[in-house]
């Protein structure tokens, strides 16, 4: 099972960019969908972007389309989330998560944390002037 570790969070000004990484420490991401979730204080954890294992097909929620890009490097057991044009309401703790995938299919985003079985510890992203 994958042991996921996020990195790359921090403080950035509105309009700026950050690139988050999710690494499978001492394990593999082979055969797993990887998703990025975020949770702001007092709000439910939401899946914002995911990437399939078989053909790297992605799925994003509307609020991040055109601004965030998910990608994966299976050789490095790492998934990335490039975040551009950041806005104050992007402020949250960002988590990566995984579930086993048996066949190609569109991966799940939205309020679907029940679907994901393995989680990282999270990394804080703060967008503020």
């Amino acid at each position: 099972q994958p042991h996921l570790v996020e990195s790359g969070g921090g403080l950035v000004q509105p309009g700026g960019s950050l690139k988050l990484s999710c690494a499978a420490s001492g394990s593999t991401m082979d055969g797993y969908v990887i998703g990025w979730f975020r949770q702001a204080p007092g709000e439910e954890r939401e899946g914002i972007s995911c990437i399939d294992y078989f053909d790297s097909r992605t799925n994003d929620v509307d609020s991040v389309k055109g601004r965030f890009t998910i990608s994966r490097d299976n050789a490095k057991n790492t998934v990335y989330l490039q975040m551009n044009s950041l806005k104050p309401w992007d402020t949250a703790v960002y988590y990566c998560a995984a579930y086993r995938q048996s066949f190609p299919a569109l991966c799940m985003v939205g309020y679907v944390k029940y679907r994901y079985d393995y989680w990282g510890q999270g990394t804080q992203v703060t967008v503020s002037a």
Side-chain angles (χ1 to χ4, degrees), residues 1-4 24-30 32 98 100 117-119:
Q1 64 188 41
H3 175 62
L4 305 176
S25 175
S27 59
T28 179
M29 289 180 172
D30 290 352
Y32 290 88
R100 189 78 180 176
D117 301 308
Y118 307 102
W119 293 83

Side-chain angles (χ1 to χ4, degrees), residues 13-87:
Q13 292 187 342
S17 298
L18 279 177
K19 186 174 184 177
L20 305 183
S21 298
C22 172
S25 175
S27 59
T28 179
M29 289 180 172
D30 290 352
Y32 290 88
V33 164
I34 305 297
W36 282 100
F37 284 72
R38 66 184 180 186
Q39 187 170 19
E43 297 188 11
E44 190 175 350
R45 191 173 299 187
E46 180 188 21
I48 57 172
S49 188
C50 64
I51 188 165
D52 147 279
Y53 167 71
F54 291 96
D55 53 15
S56 293
R57 185 164 53 153
T58 64
N59 193 14
D60 306 287
V61 294
D62 288 345
S63 61
V64 306
K65 283 181 179 178
R67 300 189 300 126
F68 292 8
T69 303
I70 189 171
S71 61
R72 69 190 296 161
D73 185 335
N74 289 333
K76 293 183 178 180
N77 282 316
T78 302
V79 169
Y80 304 97
L81 186 69
Q82 177 67 48
M83 305 188 295
N84 299 327
S85 302
L86 283 161
K87 305 180 188 302

Side-chain angles (χ1 to χ4, degrees), residues 37 108 111-117 119:
F37 284 72
M108 297 180 68
Y111 297 102
V112 293
K113 62 181 181 181
Y114 65 88
R115 186 62 182 88
Y116 288 75
D117 301 308
W119 293 83

